[in-house]
Amino acid sequence: MLLASLYLPADAHFEATSDGFAFVFADPTTRIQVYERLVPLRGAREIFDAALGAPTTIPYRECLTRAGEHAALLGVATTARHGLLGVAYGDDSYRLVVGHTTDVTRAGDIAACVRRLTLELPMGLGDDRRRRYRYSPPAGWRSLTRHGLITEWFAPKFPSNPTMITVFPSSPLRELPSRAFDRNIHEMRWGGFSERSSAGPLALAMPQLQAEEMHFVGTWRDGAPAYVDLVVLFDTARTYIVRLDHDGTHTDEYRAVLYDLARSVQPIGRTATQASAGAAAARALLHVAD
Amino acid sequence: MRVALSVPSPARLTTGPLLVSSTDDDMLLDTLAKRDAEDPVLGPRSNARTHDGWPFTMVRACTATGERVAAMYRFGAWRGYVLVELDGASNDASMGVSNGEANGASNGEANGASVADIIAALSTASPDWRGDGEVHCIAELFE
């Protein structure tokens, strides 16, 4: 409640609910409702349609929260109602903020409050953690998640075509590529990989991050040939690793898929800097039980 | 989990949800094959692979009303099952199961489909191991 009260309009009172909280106004047609930790993850369009009670083609705006979490905002304006909906995604749950009013003179204030709750209210996840990031997945490949944040993409006709791309969560450390390569080859050896040859590190040209790659050739414990291509992307704050496993029969084709994915990686960012004393004080409150 | 699979008419297909193996696979497969059936008689299990290389285990069962083939596809800890039922098949030994044994191939047909057709269809299955509603990357949140 303490954090949420920072956003409470002067003419509203706070109301705790079983699934979050609400800002309640004297006018019963004006309300801001916040739903916390909703599961499972769903697409933004599906969430907005469910909140509105009907499918809608109103475009929403994709954005980032102050902590760099992915979010979306959708405005609604009809003759009867004005409102703004916001969704902010965590790793495995999301927050939904719904604000509405029939008083057109209040629409701007309500929308501003919803926007702040969506983009500024901390989700308590810790900014500096291993986390997913935006990229374009390979078209037509199926996927699975392992351990929550690792996603594996399987080429068509897998497993007879033993080709897959693994996308690891971004690390909050700016790790030198050489260390990332050493660590990955060490972990592969735990899995039974026996290295025969390697190439790199080689610099890779990427649009938004620095990158290097290495190529490994060897065998797995069962003797199956193993070709592993690692791409490590990095900036001053984070490291992003993607890995291609294949059998060497269509190397150029699948490396092209790997490079396309790597090129599409969007660095995890923030919408505003946190240099002000006010922001620092707000962060201190993060450690207070809410 | 979904399994893209076509079975010859008039066989009926039932697919199951994604399962994480926490029990005996063989027992689970047998239980599936006997589910809601009258006087089920199980045949032996057999292993095969789909055209894409997915391993699966299947078991045939003869019931009072027809025949069934239950199959379980595997990928690491994930399991997905299908049950194909054929009504009106006879208990002729040539059809498949008799006295608790299953013939390797069936010469009989029930209304245009044979158990052999069903087994052949099982090998064309294309499992999609994604659980219902799972989101695997951020791009999927904003499609």
Side-chain angles (χ1 to χ4, degrees), chain B residues 53-120:
Chain B
W54 294 109
F56 68 98
T57 303
M58 57 185 163
V59 65
R60 293 169 64 176
C62 183
T63 71
T65 56
E67 283 212 46
R68 296 167 154 200
V69 181
M72 179 174 288
Y73 298 86
R74 302 186 303 279
F75 180 34
W78 284 271
R79 302 286 184 271
Y81 71 85
V82 301
L83 177 66
V84 186
E85 301 176 80
L86 221 92
D87 290 334
S90 73
N91 283 323
D92 188 325
S94 68
M95 273 297 299
V97 180
S98 63
N99 299 324
E101 295 181 355
N103 295 332
S106 167
N107 295 320
E109 289 193 0
N111 299 327
S114 70
V115 173
D117 292 334
I118 293 171
I119 293 174

Short mmCIF file of all heavy atoms in Angstrom, two decimals, chain B residues 53-120:
data_model
loop_
_atom_site.label_atom_id
_atom_site.label_comp_id
_atom_site.label_asym_id
_atom_site.label_seq_id
_atom_site.Cartn_x
_atom_site.Cartn_y
_atom_site.Cartn_z
N GLY B 53 11.11 -38.58 -36.28
CA GLY B 53 12.04 -39.16 -35.33
C GLY B 53 11.59 -39.13 -33.88
O GLY B 53 12.36 -39.52 -32.99
N TRP B 54 10.38 -38.69 -33.60
CA TRP B 54 9.91 -38.69 -32.21
C TRP B 54 9.64 -40.13 -31.76
O TRP B 54 8.87 -40.84 -32.39
CB TRP B 54 8.64 -37.86 -32.05
CG TRP B 54 8.82 -36.41 -32.31
CD1 TRP B 54 8.36 -35.69 -33.37
CD2 TRP B 54 9.52 -35.48 -31.48
NE1 TRP B 54 8.73 -34.38 -33.26
CE2 TRP B 54 9.45 -34.21 -32.11
CE3 TRP B 54 10.21 -35.59 -30.28
CZ2 TRP B 54 10.03 -33.07 -31.57
CZ3 TRP B 54 10.79 -34.44 -29.74
CH2 TRP B 54 10.71 -33.21 -30.38
N PRO B 55 10.24 -40.53 -30.65
CA PRO B 55 9.96 -41.89 -30.17
C PRO B 55 8.58 -41.98 -29.54
O PRO B 55 8.13 -41.03 -28.89
CB PRO B 55 11.06 -42.11 -29.11
CG PRO B 55 11.41 -40.74 -28.63
CD PRO B 55 11.20 -39.82 -29.80
N PHE B 56 7.92 -43.10 -29.76
CA PHE B 56 6.66 -43.31 -29.08
C PHE B 56 6.47 -44.79 -28.81
O PHE B 56 7.08 -45.66 -29.45
CB PHE B 56 5.48 -42.72 -29.87
CG PHE B 56 5.15 -43.39 -31.17
CD1 PHE B 56 4.13 -44.33 -31.25
CD2 PHE B 56 5.84 -43.05 -32.34
CE1 PHE B 56 3.81 -44.94 -32.46
CE2 PHE B 56 5.53 -43.65 -33.54
CZ PHE B 56 4.51 -44.60 -33.61
N THR B 57 5.66 -45.03 -27.81
CA THR B 57 5.30 -46.39 -27.41
C THR B 57 3.81 -46.56 -27.61
O THR B 57 3.04 -45.64 -27.32
CB THR B 57 5.65 -46.63 -25.93
OG1 THR B 57 7.04 -46.38 -25.74
CG2 THR B 57 5.34 -48.06 -25.52
N MET B 58 3.41 -47.68 -28.12
CA MET B 58 1.98 -47.91 -28.33
C MET B 58 1.58 -49.28 -27.81
O MET B 58 2.41 -50.19 -27.71
CB MET B 58 1.62 -47.78 -29.80
CG MET B 58 2.38 -48.68 -30.72
SD MET B 58 1.96 -48.32 -32.44
CE MET B 58 3.33 -49.11 -33.26
N VAL B 59 0.33 -49.37 -27.48
CA VAL B 59 -0.24 -50.63 -27.02
C VAL B 59 -1.63 -50.76 -27.60
O VAL B 59 -2.38 -49.78 -27.69
CB VAL B 59 -0.26 -50.71 -25.47
CG1 VAL B 59 -1.19 -49.66 -24.88
CG2 VAL B 59 -0.64 -52.08 -25.00
N ARG B 60 -1.96 -51.94 -28.06
CA ARG B 60 -3.28 -52.19 -28.61
C ARG B 60 -4.16 -52.84 -27.54
O ARG B 60 -3.66 -53.50 -26.63
CB ARG B 60 -3.18 -53.10 -29.83
CG ARG B 60 -2.47 -52.46 -31.00
CD ARG B 60 -2.14 -53.44 -32.08
NE ARG B 60 -3.35 -54.03 -32.69
CZ ARG B 60 -3.31 -54.87 -33.70
NH1 ARG B 60 -2.15 -55.24 -34.21
NH2 ARG B 60 -4.41 -55.36 -34.22
N ALA B 61 -5.43 -52.60 -27.68
CA ALA B 61 -6.37 -53.20 -26.74
C ALA B 61 -7.63 -53.59 -27.47
O ALA B 61 -8.09 -52.87 -28.37
CB ALA B 61 -6.71 -52.22 -25.61
N CYS B 62 -8.13 -54.74 -27.12
CA CYS B 62 -9.39 -55.22 -27.68
C CYS B 62 -10.46 -55.04 -26.61
O CYS B 62 -10.24 -55.40 -25.45
CB CYS B 62 -9.27 -56.69 -28.06
SG CYS B 62 -10.71 -57.37 -28.85
N THR B 63 -11.59 -54.45 -26.98
CA THR B 63 -12.66 -54.24 -26.01
C THR B 63 -13.90 -54.95 -26.49
O THR B 63 -13.92 -55.54 -27.57
CB THR B 63 -12.95 -52.73 -25.86
OG1 THR B 63 -13.59 -52.26 -27.05
CG2 THR B 63 -11.68 -51.94 -25.62
N ALA B 64 -14.95 -54.85 -25.69
CA ALA B 64 -16.20 -55.51 -26.06
C ALA B 64 -16.80 -54.89 -27.30
O ALA B 64 -17.59 -55.52 -28.01
CB ALA B 64 -17.18 -55.42 -24.90
N THR B 65 -16.46 -53.64 -27.58
CA THR B 65 -17.10 -52.93 -28.69
C THR B 65 -16.16 -52.65 -29.84
O THR B 65 -16.62 -52.17 -30.88
CB THR B 65 -17.67 -51.59 -28.19
OG1 THR B 65 -16.60 -50.83 -27.60
CG2 THR B 65 -18.77 -51.81 -27.17
N GLY B 66 -14.91 -52.93 -29.70
CA GLY B 66 -14.01 -52.64 -30.80
C GLY B 66 -12.56 -52.76 -30.40
O GLY B 66 -12.20 -53.54 -29.52
N GLU B 67 -11.74 -51.97 -31.06
CA GLU B 67 -10.31 -52.00 -30.78
C GLU B 67 -9.80 -50.59 -30.51
O GLU B 67 -10.42 -49.60 -30.88
CB GLU B 67 -9.55 -52.57 -31.99
CG GLU B 67 -9.65 -54.07 -32.10
CD GLU B 67 -8.39 -54.68 -32.70
OE1 GLU B 67 -7.28 -54.31 -32.27
OE2 GLU B 67 -8.54 -55.50 -33.61
N ARG B 68 -8.66 -50.55 -29.85
CA ARG B 68 -8.04 -49.26 -29.55
C ARG B 68 -6.54 -49.37 -29.74
O ARG B 68 -5.97 -50.45 -29.62
CB ARG B 68 -8.26 -48.88 -28.08
CG ARG B 68 -9.67 -48.67 -27.71
CD ARG B 68 -9.76 -48.63 -26.21
NE ARG B 68 -10.93 -47.85 -25.82
CZ ARG B 68 -11.09 -47.31 -24.64
NH1 ARG B 68 -10.15 -47.46 -23.73
NH2 ARG B 68 -12.18 -46.63 -24.35
N VAL B 69 -5.94 -48.23 -30.01
CA VAL B 69 -4.49 -48.13 -29.96
C VAL B 69 -4.16 -46.89 -29.14
O VAL B 69 -4.62 -45.79 -29.45
CB VAL B 69 -3.87 -48.00 -31.37
CG1 VAL B 69 -2.35 -47.92 -31.26
CG2 VAL B 69 -4.30 -49.16 -32.26
N ALA B 70 -3.41 -47.09 -28.08
CA ALA B 70 -2.96 -45.97 -27.25
C ALA B 70 -1.48 -45.76 -27.52
O ALA B 70 -0.71 -46.72 -27.63
CB ALA B 70 -3.18 -46.27 -25.77
N ALA B 71 -1.09 -44.51 -27.66
CA ALA B 71 0.31 -44.19 -27.95
C ALA B 71 0.77 -43.06 -27.05
O ALA B 71 0.00 -42.17 -26.71
CB ALA B 71 0.48 -43.80 -29.42
N MET B 72 2.02 -43.14 -26.66
CA MET B 72 2.61 -42.10 -25.83
C MET B 72 3.90 -41.62 -26.50
O MET B 72 4.83 -42.40 -26.69
CB MET B 72 2.90 -42.60 -24.43
CG MET B 72 3.54 -41.56 -23.54
SD MET B 72 3.71 -42.13 -21.85
CE MET B 72 2.00 -42.08 -21.31
N TYR B 73 3.94 -40.34 -26.83
CA TYR B 73 5.11 -39.73 -27.44
C TYR B 73 5.99 -39.13 -26.34
O TYR B 73 5.48 -38.61 -25.36
CB TYR B 73 4.69 -38.64 -28.44
CG TYR B 73 3.87 -39.19 -29.58
CD1 TYR B 73 2.49 -39.33 -29.45
CD2 TYR B 73 4.46 -39.58 -30.78
CE1 TYR B 73 1.72 -39.85 -30.48
CE2 TYR B 73 3.71 -40.10 -31.81
CZ TYR B 73 2.34 -40.23 -31.66
OH TYR B 73 1.59 -40.75 -32.68
N ARG B 74 7.29 -39.20 -26.54
CA ARG B 74 8.21 -38.78 -25.48
C ARG B 74 9.22 -37.77 -26.01
O ARG B 74 9.68 -37.85 -27.14
CB ARG B 74 8.98 -39.99 -24.93
CG ARG B 74 8.11 -41.09 -24.38
CD ARG B 74 8.98 -42.17 -23.73
NE ARG B 74 9.96 -42.73 -24.63
CZ ARG B 74 9.70 -43.67 -25.53
NH1 ARG B 74 8.48 -44.14 -25.66
NH2 ARG B 74 10.64 -44.15 -26.31
N PHE B 75 9.54 -36.82 -25.13
CA PHE B 75 10.62 -35.88 -25.40
C PHE B 75 11.18 -35.46 -24.05
O PHE B 75 10.59 -34.64 -23.35
CB PHE B 75 10.12 -34.66 -26.17
CG PHE B 75 11.19 -33.64 -26.48
CD1 PHE B 75 12.50 -34.02 -26.72
CD2 PHE B 75 10.88 -32.30 -26.53
CE1 PHE B 75 13.48 -33.10 -27.00
CE2 PHE B 75 11.86 -31.36 -26.82
CZ PHE B 75 13.16 -31.75 -27.06
N GLY B 76 12.29 -36.06 -23.68
CA GLY B 76 12.85 -35.77 -22.38
C GLY B 76 11.86 -36.15 -21.30
O GLY B 76 11.38 -37.27 -21.23
N ALA B 77 11.53 -35.18 -20.45
CA ALA B 77 10.58 -35.44 -19.39
C ALA B 77 9.13 -35.25 -19.83
O ALA B 77 8.21 -35.55 -19.08
CB ALA B 77 10.86 -34.50 -18.21
N TRP B 78 8.94 -34.73 -21.03
CA TRP B 78 7.58 -34.49 -21.51
C TRP B 78 6.96 -35.76 -22.10
O TRP B 78 7.63 -36.57 -22.71
CB TRP B 78 7.59 -33.39 -22.58
CG TRP B 78 7.75 -32.02 -22.04
CD1 TRP B 78 6.76 -31.17 -21.62
CD2 TRP B 78 8.98 -31.29 -21.85
NE1 TRP B 78 7.30 -29.98 -21.20
CE2 TRP B 78 8.64 -30.02 -21.33
CE3 TRP B 78 10.32 -31.59 -22.08
CZ2 TRP B 78 9.60 -29.05 -21.03
CZ3 TRP B 78 11.27 -30.64 -21.78
CH2 TRP B 78 10.91 -29.39 -21.26
N ARG B 79 5.69 -35.89 -21.92
CA ARG B 79 4.92 -36.99 -22.50
C ARG B 79 3.64 -36.43 -23.11
O ARG B 79 3.03 -35.52 -22.57
CB ARG B 79 4.53 -38.02 -21.43
CG ARG B 79 5.69 -38.63 -20.68
CD ARG B 79 6.44 -39.63 -21.54
NE ARG B 79 7.50 -40.27 -20.79
CZ ARG B 79 8.75 -39.79 -20.70
NH1 ARG B 79 9.07 -38.66 -21.30
NH2 ARG B 79 9.66 -40.44 -20.01
N GLY B 80 3.23 -37.01 -24.22
CA GLY B 80 1.94 -36.65 -24.79
C GLY B 80 1.27 -37.91 -25.28
O GLY B 80 1.93 -38.79 -25.83
N TYR B 81 -0.02 -38.00 -25.05
CA TYR B 81 -0.65 -39.27 -25.43
C TYR B 81 -1.77 -39.06 -26.42
O TYR B 81 -2.36 -37.98 -26.51
CB TYR B 81 -1.18 -39.99 -24.20
CG TYR B 81 -2.39 -39.35 -23.55
CD1 TYR B 81 -3.68 -39.61 -24.01
CD2 TYR B 81 -2.26 -38.49 -22.47
CE1 TYR B 81 -4.79 -39.04 -23.44
CE2 TYR B 81 -3.37 -37.92 -21.89
CZ TYR B 81 -4.62 -38.20 -22.37
OH TYR B 81 -5.72 -37.63 -21.80
N VAL B 82 -2.06 -40.10 -27.17
CA VAL B 82 -3.23 -40.14 -28.03
C VAL B 82 -3.90 -41.49 -27.85
O VAL B 82 -3.26 -42.48 -27.50
CB VAL B 82 -2.88 -39.93 -29.53
CG1 VAL B 82 -2.20 -38.60 -29.76
CG2 VAL B 82 -2.01 -41.07 -30.06
N LEU B 83 -5.18 -41.49 -28.06
CA LEU B 83 -5.94 -42.73 -28.02
C LEU B 83 -6.82 -42.76 -29.25
O LEU B 83 -7.58 -41.82 -29.50
CB LEU B 83 -6.80 -42.79 -26.75
CG LEU B 83 -7.71 -44.01 -26.62
CD1 LEU B 83 -6.88 -45.27 -26.46
CD2 LEU B 83 -8.64 -43.86 -25.42
N VAL B 84 -6.68 -43.80 -30.03
CA VAL B 84 -7.49 -43.95 -31.24
C VAL B 84 -8.40 -45.15 -31.04
O VAL B 84 -7.93 -46.22 -30.68
CB VAL B 84 -6.61 -44.16 -32.49
CG1 VAL B 84 -7.48 -44.16 -33.74
CG2 VAL B 84 -5.55 -43.06 -32.59
N GLU B 85 -9.68 -44.93 -31.26
CA GLU B 85 -10.65 -45.99 -31.02
C GLU B 85 -11.37 -46.35 -32.31
O GLU B 85 -11.70 -45.49 -33.12
CB GLU B 85 -11.68 -45.51 -29.98
CG GLU B 85 -11.04 -45.14 -28.66
CD GLU B 85 -12.03 -44.57 -27.66
OE1 GLU B 85 -12.75 -45.37 -27.04
OE2 GLU B 85 -12.08 -43.35 -27.51
N LEU B 86 -11.61 -47.63 -32.44
CA LEU B 86 -12.29 -48.15 -33.63
C LEU B 86 -13.46 -48.98 -33.14
O LEU B 86 -13.27 -50.02 -32.50
CB LEU B 86 -11.34 -49.03 -34.43
CG LEU B 86 -11.40 -48.87 -35.93
CD1 LEU B 86 -10.41 -47.85 -36.37
CD2 LEU B 86 -11.11 -50.18 -36.61
N ASP B 87 -14.65 -48.55 -33.43
CA ASP B 87 -15.82 -49.31 -33.01
C ASP B 87 -16.17 -50.37 -34.04
O ASP B 87 -15.86 -50.25 -35.23
CB ASP B 87 -17.03 -48.37 -32.83
CG ASP B 87 -16.86 -47.48 -31.62
OD1 ASP B 87 -16.13 -47.90 -30.70
OD2 ASP B 87 -17.43 -46.38 -31.62
N GLY B 88 -16.81 -51.39 -33.53
CA GLY B 88 -17.41 -52.37 -34.46
C GLY B 88 -16.43 -53.37 -35.00
O GLY B 88 -16.77 -54.18 -35.85
N ALA B 89 -15.17 -53.34 -34.54
CA ALA B 89 -14.22 -54.35 -35.01
C ALA B 89 -14.57 -55.69 -34.40
O ALA B 89 -15.04 -55.77 -33.27
CB ALA B 89 -12.81 -53.94 -34.62
N SER B 90 -14.35 -56.74 -35.15
CA SER B 90 -14.71 -58.06 -34.64
C SER B 90 -13.60 -58.59 -33.75
O SER B 90 -12.51 -58.06 -33.68
CB SER B 90 -14.93 -59.01 -35.80
OG SER B 90 -13.67 -59.34 -36.37
N ASN B 91 -13.90 -59.63 -33.03
CA ASN B 91 -12.89 -60.27 -32.20
C ASN B 91 -12.19 -61.40 -32.93
O ASN B 91 -11.55 -62.25 -32.33
CB ASN B 91 -13.54 -60.82 -30.91
CG ASN B 91 -13.81 -59.69 -29.93
OD1 ASN B 91 -13.02 -58.77 -29.83
ND2 ASN B 91 -14.94 -59.76 -29.25
N ASP B 92 -12.34 -61.40 -34.21
CA ASP B 92 -11.60 -62.35 -35.04
C ASP B 92 -10.11 -62.19 -34.77
O ASP B 92 -9.61 -61.08 -34.70
CB ASP B 92 -11.92 -62.06 -36.51
CG ASP B 92 -11.35 -63.11 -37.43
OD1 ASP B 92 -10.25 -63.64 -37.15
OD2 ASP B 92 -12.02 -63.41 -38.43
N ALA B 93 -9.42 -63.29 -34.64
CA ALA B 93 -7.99 -63.23 -34.34
C ALA B 93 -7.23 -62.45 -35.40
O ALA B 93 -6.19 -61.86 -35.12
CB ALA B 93 -7.42 -64.64 -34.22
N SER B 94 -7.74 -62.43 -36.60
CA SER B 94 -7.05 -61.70 -37.66
C SER B 94 -7.12 -60.20 -37.44
O SER B 94 -6.35 -59.45 -38.02
CB SER B 94 -7.64 -62.06 -39.02
OG SER B 94 -8.95 -61.56 -39.13
N MET B 95 -8.04 -59.75 -36.61
CA MET B 95 -8.16 -58.32 -36.38
C MET B 95 -7.06 -57.79 -35.47
O MET B 95 -6.70 -56.64 -35.54
CB MET B 95 -9.54 -58.02 -35.73
CG MET B 95 -10.61 -57.83 -36.74
SD MET B 95 -10.31 -56.41 -37.78
CE MET B 95 -10.28 -55.09 -36.62
N GLY B 96 -6.57 -58.65 -34.60
CA GLY B 96 -5.54 -58.09 -33.72
C GLY B 96 -5.41 -58.82 -32.42
O GLY B 96 -4.54 -59.66 -32.26
N VAL B 97 -6.26 -58.51 -31.47
CA VAL B 97 -6.03 -59.01 -30.12
C VAL B 97 -6.94 -60.19 -29.83
O VAL B 97 -8.13 -60.14 -30.05
CB VAL B 97 -6.32 -57.89 -29.10
CG1 VAL B 97 -6.08 -58.41 -27.69
CG2 VAL B 97 -5.46 -56.69 -29.38
N SER B 98 -6.34 -61.23 -29.34
CA SER B 98 -7.16 -62.33 -28.83
C SER B 98 -6.35 -63.01 -27.74
O SER B 98 -5.13 -63.13 -27.83
CB SER B 98 -7.47 -63.31 -29.96
OG SER B 98 -6.28 -63.88 -30.46
N ASN B 99 -7.02 -63.41 -26.70
CA ASN B 99 -6.34 -64.08 -25.60
C ASN B 99 -5.15 -63.28 -25.08
O ASN B 99 -4.12 -63.84 -24.73
CB ASN B 99 -5.86 -65.49 -26.00
CG ASN B 99 -7.01 -66.37 -26.39
OD1 ASN B 99 -8.08 -66.28 -25.80
ND2 ASN B 99 -6.82 -67.20 -27.40
N GLY B 100 -5.28 -61.98 -25.09
CA GLY B 100 -4.25 -61.14 -24.51
C GLY B 100 -3.04 -60.92 -25.40
O GLY B 100 -2.05 -60.34 -24.99
N GLU B 101 -3.09 -61.35 -26.63
CA GLU B 101 -1.95 -61.14 -27.52
C GLU B 101 -2.40 -60.29 -28.71
O GLU B 101 -3.53 -60.33 -29.12
CB GLU B 101 -1.41 -62.48 -28.04
CG GLU B 101 -0.84 -63.34 -26.93
CD GLU B 101 -0.28 -64.65 -27.48
OE1 GLU B 101 -0.44 -64.89 -28.68
OE2 GLU B 101 0.28 -65.40 -26.69
N ALA B 102 -1.48 -59.55 -29.23
CA ALA B 102 -1.79 -58.71 -30.39
C ALA B 102 -0.97 -59.20 -31.56
O ALA B 102 0.23 -59.39 -31.46
CB ALA B 102 -1.47 -57.26 -30.10
N ASN B 103 -1.62 -59.40 -32.66
CA ASN B 103 -0.89 -59.75 -33.88
C ASN B 103 -0.09 -58.54 -34.35
O ASN B 103 -0.47 -57.41 -34.14
CB ASN B 103 -1.87 -60.18 -34.98
CG ASN B 103 -2.58 -61.45 -34.61
OD1 ASN B 103 -2.06 -62.26 -33.86
ND2 ASN B 103 -3.79 -61.61 -35.11
N GLY B 104 0.96 -58.80 -35.03
CA GLY B 104 1.78 -57.71 -35.54
C GLY B 104 1.07 -56.91 -36.61
O GLY B 104 1.28 -55.74 -36.78
N ALA B 105 0.19 -57.52 -37.35
CA ALA B 105 -0.54 -56.78 -38.38
C ALA B 105 -1.95 -57.31 -38.42
O ALA B 105 -2.22 -58.46 -38.08
CB ALA B 105 0.12 -56.96 -39.74
N SER B 106 -2.84 -56.45 -38.80
CA SER B 106 -4.24 -56.85 -38.82
C SER B 106 -4.71 -56.99 -40.24
O SER B 106 -4.44 -56.13 -41.08
CB SER B 106 -5.07 -55.80 -38.09
OG SER B 106 -6.44 -56.00 -38.33
N ASN B 107 -5.39 -58.07 -40.52
CA ASN B 107 -5.95 -58.24 -41.86
C ASN B 107 -7.39 -57.82 -41.92
O ASN B 107 -7.97 -57.73 -42.99
CB ASN B 107 -5.85 -59.71 -42.30
CG ASN B 107 -4.40 -60.13 -42.46
OD1 ASN B 107 -3.60 -59.36 -42.95
ND2 ASN B 107 -4.08 -61.33 -42.01
N GLY B 108 -7.97 -57.60 -40.76
CA GLY B 108 -9.39 -57.27 -40.76
C GLY B 108 -9.63 -55.78 -40.91
O GLY B 108 -8.74 -54.96 -40.72
N GLU B 109 -10.78 -55.39 -41.25
CA GLU B 109 -11.12 -53.97 -41.36
C GLU B 109 -12.44 -53.72 -40.66
O GLU B 109 -13.29 -54.60 -40.58
CB GLU B 109 -11.24 -53.56 -42.82
CG GLU B 109 -9.91 -53.53 -43.55
CD GLU B 109 -10.01 -52.83 -44.89
OE1 GLU B 109 -11.12 -52.38 -45.22
OE2 GLU B 109 -9.01 -52.74 -45.57
N ALA B 110 -12.60 -52.54 -40.16
CA ALA B 110 -13.86 -52.16 -39.55
C ALA B 110 -14.35 -50.91 -40.25
O ALA B 110 -13.77 -49.85 -40.09
CB ALA B 110 -13.69 -51.89 -38.06
N ASN B 111 -15.34 -51.06 -41.05
CA ASN B 111 -15.93 -49.91 -41.71
C ASN B 111 -14.90 -49.04 -42.44
O ASN B 111 -14.95 -47.83 -42.40
CB ASN B 111 -16.69 -49.04 -40.70
CG ASN B 111 -17.81 -49.81 -40.06
OD1 ASN B 111 -18.42 -50.67 -40.68
ND2 ASN B 111 -18.08 -49.53 -38.80
N GLY B 112 -13.95 -49.63 -43.07
CA GLY B 112 -13.04 -48.87 -43.92
C GLY B 112 -11.72 -48.53 -43.30
O GLY B 112 -10.84 -48.00 -43.97
N ALA B 113 -11.52 -48.80 -42.01
CA ALA B 113 -10.22 -48.49 -41.40
C ALA B 113 -9.71 -49.73 -40.70
O ALA B 113 -10.48 -50.51 -40.15
CB ALA B 113 -10.38 -47.35 -40.41
N SER B 114 -8.43 -49.92 -40.73
CA SER B 114 -7.84 -51.06 -40.04
C SER B 114 -6.92 -50.56 -38.95
O SER B 114 -6.48 -49.41 -38.97
CB SER B 114 -7.07 -51.94 -41.03
OG SER B 114 -5.89 -51.26 -41.44
N VAL B 115 -6.63 -51.44 -38.02
CA VAL B 115 -5.71 -51.07 -36.97
C VAL B 115 -4.34 -50.76 -37.56
O VAL B 115 -3.62 -49.88 -37.09
CB VAL B 115 -5.63 -52.21 -35.93
CG1 VAL B 115 -4.53 -51.92 -34.92
CG2 VAL B 115 -6.96 -52.36 -35.21
N ALA B 116 -4.00 -51.47 -38.61
CA ALA B 116 -2.70 -51.19 -39.26
C ALA B 116 -2.67 -49.77 -39.80
O ALA B 116 -1.65 -49.09 -39.75
CB ALA B 116 -2.45 -52.20 -40.38
N ASP B 117 -3.81 -49.31 -40.33
CA ASP B 117 -3.89 -47.92 -40.80
C ASP B 117 -3.67 -46.94 -39.65
O ASP B 117 -3.01 -45.92 -39.81
CB ASP B 117 -5.26 -47.64 -41.43
CG ASP B 117 -5.47 -48.40 -42.72
OD1 ASP B 117 -4.47 -48.74 -43.38
OD2 ASP B 117 -6.65 -48.67 -43.05
N ILE B 118 -4.24 -47.29 -38.52
CA ILE B 118 -4.10 -46.41 -37.36
C ILE B 118 -2.65 -46.35 -36.90
O ILE B 118 -2.10 -45.29 -36.61
CB ILE B 118 -5.02 -46.88 -36.22
CG1 ILE B 118 -6.48 -46.71 -36.64
CG2 ILE B 118 -4.72 -46.11 -34.93
CD1 ILE B 118 -7.45 -47.35 -35.69
N ILE B 119 -2.03 -47.52 -36.84
CA ILE B 119 -0.63 -47.54 -36.41
C ILE B 119 0.23 -46.76 -37.39
O ILE B 119 1.15 -46.03 -37.00
CB ILE B 119 -0.16 -49.00 -36.27
CG1 ILE B 119 -0.89 -49.67 -35.10
CG2 ILE B 119 1.35 -49.06 -36.08
CD1 ILE B 119 -0.62 -51.13 -34.96
N ALA B 120 -0.06 -46.88 -38.66
CA ALA B 120 0.69 -46.11 -39.66
C ALA B 120 0.47 -44.62 -39.46
O ALA B 120 1.39 -43.81 -39.59
CB ALA B 120 0.26 -46.53 -41.06
#
